[in-house]
Amino acid sequence: MRKLTIIWFDQFLDDYRRYTKTEFQRSESDILEKFGELESDIEVFIISVGEELTIDGKGRMFRFYRVNDDYQDAMQYDGWMDV
């Protein structure tokens, strides 16, 4: 598994925990493990949460995008949207 820096990961966790029912939330380590499995050429990564798993019944997509950085392999949280 490769080392990948996730920029604004704490903000993602705040949003994820705010909108996802507690019983359906994945652990921080489970989520980070998925990032480590990504191929190095992936430009966008989306975590999707179905409407039945959210507190308000609206599906959510949490978006991350690749950051061009010569010093680290990084993706940045870009926010969420209703689906």
Side-chain angles (χ1 to χ4, degrees), residues 34-50:
K34 293 298 179 193
F35 280 99
E37 295 171 358
L38 294 176
E39 297 293 326
S40 61
D41 62 345
I42 298 294
E43 294 295 323
V44 175
F45 181 59
I46 295 175
I47 297 175
S48 181
V49 179

Side-chain angles (χ1 to χ4, degrees), residues 2-75:
R2 65 187 171 63
K3 171 76 170 130
L4 179 66
T5 300
I6 309 298
I7 301 166
W8 295 347
F9 188 72
D10 289 339
Q11 179 62 49
F12 158 72
L13 284 178
D14 288 346
D15 291 345
Y16 177 75
R17 291 178 178 146
R18 179 180 315 118
Y19 294 113
T20 306
K21 291 179 182 176
T22 305
E23 62 269 25
F24 297 113
Q25 291 179 13
R26 305 287 287 213
S27 71
E28 182 176 339
S29 60
D30 284 347
I31 294 168
L32 288 171
E33 184 177 318
K34 293 298 179 193
F35 280 99
E37 295 171 358
L38 294 176
E39 297 293 326
S40 61
D41 62 345
I42 298 294
E43 294 295 323
V44 175
F45 181 59
I46 295 175
I47 297 175
S48 181
V49 179
E51 58 193 30
E52 66 279 1
L53 308 178
T54 62
I55 60 168
D56 60 1
K58 295 179 182 177
R60 295 277 183 314
M61 289 188 343
F62 301 92
R63 182 179 183 267
F64 297 82
Y65 65 91
R66 171 92 35 212
V67 175
N68 294 324
D69 187 330
D70 294 335
Y71 301 103
Q72 62 183 345
D73 191 9
M75 294 196 88

